[in-house]
Amino acid sequence: MISDLLFRLRAIFRRRSVEEELDNELRFHFEHEIEKLMRSGLTREEASRRARLALGGLEQVKEECRDARGVSWLETAIQDLRHGMRGLRRNPGLAILATITLSLGMAASTVVFSIFQAALLRPLPFREAERLVELWETRQERGINQASFTEANFWDVRAQNHSFEEVAALHSYEANMTGAGPAEKVSGSIVTAGFFRTLGVSPVLGRDFLYEEDRGGLDNRVVILGNRFWRERFGGDPEVIGKTLRLDDQVYTVVGVLPAGEPWINEKIYPLFGYRADADRGSWEYAVIGRLAAGVSADSARADLQRIAGAVAQSYPKDAKGLGFNLGSSSEWGASSDTRRALWVLLGAVTFLLLIGCMNVANLLLARGTARQREIAVRIVLGASRARLARFVMMEALLLSGFGVALGLGLAYAALRVMQSLEIPGIPRLADASLNLWVVGFATITALLTGLLSGLAPALQGWVSGVAAALRDSDRQKGSRGQGRLRAALVTCEVALSFLLLVGAGLLIRSFAQLMRVNHGFQTENRLVFSMNMPGSYWKNGVGKQFMDRFFERLSAVPGVIAVGAVSHRPVEGGNPGMGIDSSSQPLGSERRPPWAGWRIVSPGYFRAIGLPLLQGRVFDENDKPVWAERGQPDPVRRVVISNRLAKLIFPNEDPIGKHVILWKGQSGGDAEVIGVVGDSRERGLTSDPTLTVYLPYGRNALTTEFVAHIRGNANDLAPVVRSIVSDLDPNLPVADVRSFQEVVSRSVAPQRFNAILLGVFSGLALLLATTGIYGVLSYSMSRRTSEIGLRMALGASASNILRMTVSQGMRPALLGIGLGAAGAWWLSRYLTTLLFDIKPFDILTYAMVAALLLATALAACCLPGRRAMRTDPAVALRIE
Amino acid sequence: MNMADGRIELPQGTLDLLILKTIALAPQHGWAISERVQQMSSDALQVKQGSLYPALHRLERRGWIKARWRVTENNRRAKYYELTRRGREQLEAQTDSWRRLTAAVGQILDTA
């Protein structure tokens, strides 16, 4: 075996010397034969003639020896490669066109796949991520099955479960960092001690939180830093452990630094959050993650949790009535299901694009093959095997796809770098996407398949065509009918695939346009939004309220400012806390489930600033106080403003003004009077339905963090003014996330925009390729039919007859393709449903527009060859024959 | 079979056996092998160069024979083939089966 291998290897690597030896060996034989014959009395000429006869064909013997040595497949492959290169060099136009065609498809598919791989295929960078789960509270009887945890319920689950190696809770956290340079808002999560052990992440510097640290009664102000945070704020200082941070005027000690990893871990800080015996059981605030113990299935963990839920519900019937727990896999932490769907759609789209590219190249090679039919026939007659000729064409296709993938990878690299440097929003894990081994492997396999696919038809073409027919001149002129049909079929497929892509792009673009046109409820023009995180000291003695009022006063006095307001959660981008709410006149025993409405604390000026119209009643004024009682004070008189849909829902056919509602129904409860109704808005983002919203007045114990200013002119011009006023009032209060409201809205639809643009680009390319395909096939078949056209014209066909004939010939495959494409699109577009906003997947208008576009392009592609045919001079045309 | 000059074309598979036998005593080059086969069979068998050299290369690949460039008595370089150990085993095995085959065929022909 080994000697056999060595023998073959020698034959490959020392091919030249092996060939030489063969040559020498045969020459030696030949000369001996001559000598022998001469000894028997023949002349040298006669002897060498006979010797040559005896030897048979020298080349044939050599070929058989090579075959016997068993390396010929590799040698011939190398030879095919050389021939292929030579063939391509002879026809550089074709080579360049085909390479560009394929490289565009390759680049598109490589970019999409690299994003796909980073977001969907690459596992989360956590140890044994399949054991990681996310936990939720449920209240099945109220139809709630994914609620955040209350603090107390989390501590109970942590103490009583038998299924998890670790469970940990986290809560988003924002603080003003002061002390080092200008005040700055930092964000992070407060986490329980086991958080990083749950994820399976260990600090690269310092230590993890200790279990003792989150026990009750201790007030441990310790913090772990995300890697990027550490590098940017501390310059990657290795001595950072033990240093202190001032967060909201409290001193925290840095105990650890995390490794670089997921972006949502990288840029944050993690203060420790410890057990409290008086933890709240009513407010759903905490996200909880867990690591299943080895060998514990999700189902048995669920059963375990159910046991705990039962016990908790029994002990706390008021707060925990109907409590249950649910857990879900961590597989969606990297990308949401919509993102996944979108990436699959994009991957499908690039596959179509590549297929179209393949067909175009196949078409080019077929056309070239037709032109070379005579040459090929001669080669066959001279003894070249058909298999060898087919291999040769295939090798050309593979070479083209090889060039295509090389250029395509280059383009993809550049495109990825550009996308990453622009930090295009809406692409999950974009920063992590790279041309890694996976991606390059994918590209290589794709290139191989592309080459095989585009070479298949052209390679078989030489195989099936008749030699004799090819050698006859007249047949060469016309080309075989079967080939014409094959090329027309390829055009049909190209048009059909383009139709699919165009419909996909059309639907996404229309959907995006719909999204942009949707009634937000609020106004976006000329509005600046920014955040100010109120430090703990602002919540004492009305300091924060005073600050806000002075700030409103100063900002309102700025020329050009029309209205200023504040809200607890930024529309579109911010969180959406909610409550059960219902009319207080609802009969007590009624089984009706109270509506769930989002609540927002607002300043009186908010509605005007954000542009929400007042429909009934009045908005808040300075006499309306927060709905929460201040410490030691009696319950306030509660007044709320509600959104129109909510008013219609709980007070059908009634005037809601002056009516009373119960806030946080089913939880803490509290009666309030409705004083006004405002317009609905898409608080939770444009793709969500307008929310049911309850607006609560701000005050000493109800501060807000988000601010809105409506001005004349460009919103961003106000940003420096805002900063200077704030630093005037409190230099330690950072202004963060300053954006025009338009930008906020636009960022929120970035994924949709990205999908629409990308699919638009792909379908544009597809259209271009299909057009060149139609044009190529038609102009080629017209040039082959020149003499026939000349004859027709000589017999009296008018120019318009000829044009009609040409165009109808070219349009036939295009029309068929449009029909097939429409059917395919109708079947495939269902997969787009969840990505579409306010558009049905079978949107007649989109289909009609795509069909019209394809028809027009196909017609244009037909007209050029048609006009050429029309101008054929019969005398010249007939002379060709 | 070519009756015109009284020479027999080799049945399939026998060429390998004849080559092995021819070089069993001493290494030979290709031309000498073909000459010897013809000589030893009293000109009854003729080896076509067209099949000799592919056969030699095939046997070499199988490792039954190995080739070495040597200087001939006329001071020219030629490729000499010699048996390997495996080649010798093959020769014995094939000789044996050939004998049994011809004996059996002969027996049938004689009795019929």
Side-chain angles (χ1 to χ4, degrees):
Chain A
M1 270 291 88
I2 299 224
S3 69
D4 184 57
L5 190 69
L6 287 176
F7 188 86
R8 283 166 184 252
L9 285 178
R10 186 176 102 87
I12 294 167
F13 292 112
R14 304 190 47 214
R15 183 169 162 274
R16 183 150 301 182
S17 74
V18 168
E19 276 292 302
E20 225 166 79
E21 282 183 17
L22 185 59
D23 227 37
N24 286 339
E25 186 177 20
L26 292 175
R27 186 170 320 118
F28 175 82
H29 182 104
F30 188 57
E31 282 165 6
H32 257 271
E33 193 71 22
I34 293 175
E35 279 167 27
K36 187 185 105 180
L37 292 169
M38 281 169 68
R39 273 200 299 276
S40 68
L42 293 176
T43 63
R44 174 164 272 279
E45 287 75 45
E46 182 60 14
S48 92
R49 195 184 67 84
R50 287 217 195 161
R52 216 173 283 133
L53 271 176
L55 197 61
L58 180 65
E59 280 309 311
Q60 203 179 333
V61 174
K62 278 190 186 174
E63 186 70 34
E64 276 173 34
C65 287
R66 287 185 205 116
D67 273 345
R69 301 183 78 90
V71 288
S72 51
W73 61 268
L74 221 150
E75 271 181 51
T76 47
I78 292 170
Q79 234 172 33
D80 285 346
L81 199 73
R82 285 212 191 101
H83 281 163
M85 288 293 272
R86 215 176 297 151
L88 292 182
R89 223 176 296 144
R90 243 192 332 231
N91 206 337
L94 173 121
I96 290 169
L97 193 62
T99 302
I100 290 176
T101 302
L102 289 177
S103 71
L104 288 177
M106 292 299 309
S109 56
T110 307
V111 167
V112 168
F113 183 77
S114 65
I115 294 172
F116 185 88
Q117 193 259 342
L120 263 61
L121 297 182
R122 213 179 25 193
L124 291 165
F126 305 125
R127 175 173 60 88
E128 293 174 73
E130 67 283 354
R131 278 163 60 198
L132 283 177
V133 291
E134 185 161 7
L135 282 74
W136 291 283
E137 284 194 12
T138 65
R139 300 287 192 286
Q140 294 297 357
E141 63 204 49
R142 281 158 64 186
I144 297 168
N145 49 25
Q146 270 197 11
S148 300
F149 263 69
T150 67
E151 192 182 331
N153 287 346
F154 164 71
W155 295 121
D156 286 344
V157 165
R158 190 172 92 164
Q160 297 172 26
N161 83 80
H162 301 304
S163 321
F164 295 94
E165 199 175 292
E166 294 275 1
V167 278
L170 66 153
H171 189 295
S172 66
Y173 170 82
E174 284 180 344
N176 299 331
M177 189 167 82
T178 47
E184 206 175 349
K185 191 178 106 173
V186 295
S187 58
S189 301
I190 52 171
V191 298
T192 55
F195 181 68
F196 297 110
R197 274 182 288 268
T198 309
L199 289 180
V201 173
S202 320
V204 285
L205 267 187
R207 60 169 176 87
D208 203 344
F209 295 128
L210 306 175
Y211 284 118
E212 303 84 75
E213 282 174 321
D214 77 355
R215 292 291 171 262
L218 298 170
D219 190 15
N220 280 305
R221 300 245 159 84
V222 286
V223 62
I224 288 181
L225 308 181
N227 199 280
R228 186 159 166 188
F229 184 92
W230 168 62
R231 273 184 282 118
E232 283 176 2
R233 317 289 170 110
F234 289 92
D237 177 11
E239 305 288 311
V240 73
I241 306 300
K243 290 201 170 155
T244 56
L245 294 182
R246 268 189 100 78
L247 301 171
D248 281 350
D249 294 328
Q250 302 218 302
V251 175
Y252 285 78
T253 307
V254 176
V255 296
V257 174
L258 295 174
E262 287 293 275
W264 48 269
I265 273 194
N266 242 345
E267 289 159 21
K268 293 183 165 184
I269 59 168
Y270 293 88
L272 176 72
F273 140 64
Y275 177 78
R276 286 185 290 205
D278 60 345
D280 181 82
R281 205 173 286 276
S283 173
W284 300 339
E285 291 180 27
Y286 292 85
V288 174
I289 60 168
R291 172 174 290 276
L292 289 170
V296 173
S297 73
D299 280 335
S300 68
R302 251 180 224 118
D304 185 29
L305 288 170
Q306 217 45 55
R307 175 186 59 81
I308 301 169
V312 172
Q314 211 152 36
S315 317
Y316 307 94
K318 182 166 167 287
D319 281 321
K321 183 167 170 284
L323 175 70
F325 296 111
N326 189 8
L327 57 87
S329 121
S330 61
S331 63
E332 291 213 344
W333 294 2
S336 71
S337 63
D338 264 7
T339 309
R340 279 158 190 270
R341 173 59 61 92
L343 284 173
W344 275 111
V345 166
L346 287 177
L347 203 62
V350 290
T351 312
F352 289 161
L353 187 59
L354 256 184
L355 277 176
I356 295 174
C358 286
M359 289 173 192
N360 243 11
V361 171
N363 243 330
L364 286 171
L365 291 176
L366 274 175
R368 211 263 326 253
T370 315
R372 280 176 43 192
Q373 222 164 32
R374 195 174 150 88
E375 173 202 334
I376 290 169
V378 169
R379 281 172 186 245
I380 292 178
V381 166
L382 289 181
S385 82
R386 282 167 192 243
R388 186 81 191 267
L389 286 173
R391 261 203 329 251
F392 164 66
V393 177
M394 189 55 102
M395 188 56 79
E396 276 188 333
L398 284 171
L399 269 174
L400 286 175
S401 79
F403 295 150
V405 74
L407 186 59
L409 280 175
L411 286 175
Y413 180 77
L416 259 186
R417 289 306 292 268
V418 168
M419 283 163 72
Q420 279 165 346
S421 68
L422 295 178
E423 293 190 19
I424 296 179
I427 312 173
R429 286 178 158 190
L430 174 62
D432 292 344
S434 65
L435 300 188
N436 54 25
L437 269 182
W438 268 82
V439 177
V440 173
F442 164 85
T444 312
I445 292 171
T446 314
L448 210 63
L449 289 177
T450 306
L452 289 176
L453 216 58
S454 42
L456 193 63
L460 292 179
Q461 167 193 36
W463 204 299
V464 293
S465 63
V467 174
L471 284 173
R472 273 197 314 263
D473 244 7
S474 59
D475 281 47
R476 177 173 60 98
Q477 266 291 321
K478 282 196 204 126
S480 86
R481 184 167 289 199
Q483 256 169 50
R485 272 205 295 271
L486 180 59
R487 300 191 60 202
L490 285 175
V491 168
T492 303
C493 291
E494 278 187 58
V495 172
L497 286 173
S498 310
F499 195 99
L500 293 181
L501 279 177
L502 284 167
V503 163
L507 286 174
L508 286 189
I509 290 168
R510 288 253 297 145
S511 150
F512 187 70
Q514 260 340 61
L515 199 54
M516 291 284 84
R517 214 178 307 138
V518 76
N519 183 11
H520 308 134
F522 39 69
Q523 304 293 320
T524 54
E525 295 80 26
N526 308 329
R527 278 159 172 94
L528 188 74
V529 292
F530 47 95
S531 329
M532 280 186 272
N533 182 47
M534 304 288 165
S537 58
Y538 272 44
W539 294 81
K540 292 177 198 126
N541 308 322
V543 175
K545 169 83 163 52
Q546 252 172 38
F547 165 83
M548 284 176 72
D549 290 341
R550 279 170 62 204
F551 174 70
F552 287 148
E553 198 181 314
R554 290 276 303 267
L555 194 59
S556 307
V558 172
V561 172
I562 301 168
V564 182
V567 61
S568 53
H569 301 83
R570 182 178 284 195
V572 180
E573 277 185 333
N576 179 38
M579 64 162 89
I581 180 174
D582 213 342
S583 157
S584 60
S585 59
Q586 195 70 25
L588 258 174
S590 119
E591 281 304 296
R592 186 174 110 121
R593 189 190 296 158
W596 189 257
W599 57 261
R600 304 287 185 273
I601 300 165
V602 296
S603 74
Y606 174 71
F607 300 106
R608 224 157 69 78
I610 201 82
L612 271 181
L614 177 69
L615 302 178
Q616 271 177 293
R618 63 171 179 91
V619 296
F620 298 122
D621 61 32
E622 282 305 319
N623 296 319
D624 300 314
K625 300 288 182 241
V627 297
W628 296 277
E630 283 194 70
R631 196 186 299 266
Q633 300 287 314
D635 267 3
V637 180
R638 302 193 186 89
R639 298 193 191 95
V640 297
V641 169
I642 59 179
S643 68
N644 197 25
R645 276 185 66 208
L646 182 60
K648 292 266 184 329
L649 195 66
I650 53 181
F651 300 111
N653 313 316
E654 283 179 274
D655 180 6
I657 305 303
K659 294 270 177 352
H660 282 249
V661 289
I662 300 184
L663 308 175
W664 282 278
K665 185 162 177 157
Q667 290 176 286
S668 45
D671 181 88
E673 181 196 346
V674 176
I675 59 163
V677 175
V678 293
D680 296 315
S681 66
R682 292 183 189 260
E683 281 278 342
R684 286 173 301 163
L686 303 192
T687 52
S688 307
D689 286 337
T691 42
L692 308 171
T693 312
V694 190
Y695 296 95
L696 313 171
Y698 85 133
R700 291 158 61 94
N701 60 346
L703 301 177
T704 64
T705 53
E706 302 298 323
F707 293 77
V708 189
H710 180 199
I711 64 166
R712 274 181 211 95
N714 186 355
N716 283 313
D717 294 346
L718 194 65
V721 183
V722 167
R723 284 184 205 281
S724 87
I725 293 176
V726 172
S727 80
D728 225 29
L729 293 173
D730 180 352
N732 281 332
L733 192 67
V735 179
D737 304 325
V738 185
R739 290 209 184 94
S740 79
F741 196 34
Q742 253 164 345
E743 193 192 336
V744 169
V745 171
S746 150
R747 278 165 61 105
S748 76
V749 293
Q752 287 90 338
R753 183 184 301 114
F754 173 70
N755 295 341
I757 290 178
L758 219 53
L759 216 52
V761 169
F762 293 164
S763 57
L765 282 175
L767 187 64
L768 187 69
L769 291 181
T771 312
T772 55
I774 297 171
Y775 170 78
V777 168
L778 195 63
S779 69
Y780 193 76
S781 91
M782 283 306 122
S783 71
R784 275 183 345 216
R785 289 172 62 186
T786 309
S787 59
E788 177 206 325
I789 291 169
L791 191 63
R792 281 172 189 264
M793 291 183 89
L795 291 177
S798 69
S800 65
N801 283 139
I802 299 294
L803 183 65
R804 206 174 307 129
M805 179 191 81
T806 322
V807 169
S808 77
Q809 188 199 345
M811 289 306 283
R812 219 172 297 135
L815 282 171
L816 192 59
I818 288 173
L820 287 175
W826 177 78
W827 188 74
L828 273 177
S829 59
R830 71 186 70 184
Y831 295 106
L832 283 174
T833 311
T834 55
L835 299 180
L836 297 181
F837 176 79
D838 216 16
I839 289 272
K840 292 262 176 303
F842 192 73
D843 178 50
I844 301 288
L845 183 61
T846 306
Y847 280 60
M849 274 161 56
V850 167
L853 180 63
L854 272 173
L855 271 179
T857 339
L859 212 58
C862 290
C863 274
L864 218 56
R867 277 163 55 94
R868 207 179 302 137
M870 208 169 75
R871 281 200 297 263
T872 308
D873 180 351
V876 175
L878 288 172
R879 220 174 296 140
I880 289 179
E881 196 76 331
Chain B
M1 218 177 284
N2 189 337
M3 300 306 272
D5 55 4
R7 281 174 181 165
I8 309 166
E9 274 184 21
L10 287 174
Q12 280 277 306
T14 50
L15 178 59
D16 288 2
L17 177 59
L18 294 182
I19 291 172
L20 292 177
K21 178 71 187 169
T22 315
I23 60 173
L25 290 175
Q28 297 285 3
H29 49 72
W31 186 77
I33 294 171
S34 74
E35 285 296 294
R36 265 188 83 78
V37 168
Q38 205 168 327
Q39 232 171 43
M40 294 201 313
S41 67
S42 318
D43 284 349
L45 297 179
Q46 190 190 23
V47 183
K48 286 246 172 67
Q49 289 92 337
S51 36
L52 173 68
Y53 285 94
L56 284 169
H57 286 264
R58 191 167 53 241
L59 292 173
E60 190 185 358
R61 196 188 87 203
R62 284 188 197 149
W64 297 355
I65 63 179
K66 59 185 177 195
R68 192 170 295 163
W69 286 90
R70 280 208 224 156
V71 179
T72 65
E73 50 270 37
N74 305 337
N75 209 19
R76 292 171 56 183
R77 288 188 72 237
K79 199 176 179 188
Y80 279 81
Y81 293 92
E82 58 185 292
L83 279 189
T84 62
R85 198 174 51 77
R86 274 172 60 204
R88 208 165 286 284
E89 288 164 11
Q90 278 297 321
L91 174 61
E92 278 163 28
Q94 289 197 12
T95 311
D96 192 47
S97 64
W98 176 259
R99 290 237 165 84
R100 279 191 283 148
L101 174 69
T102 45
V105 173
Q107 205 173 338
I108 294 167
L109 293 178
D110 290 344
T111 50

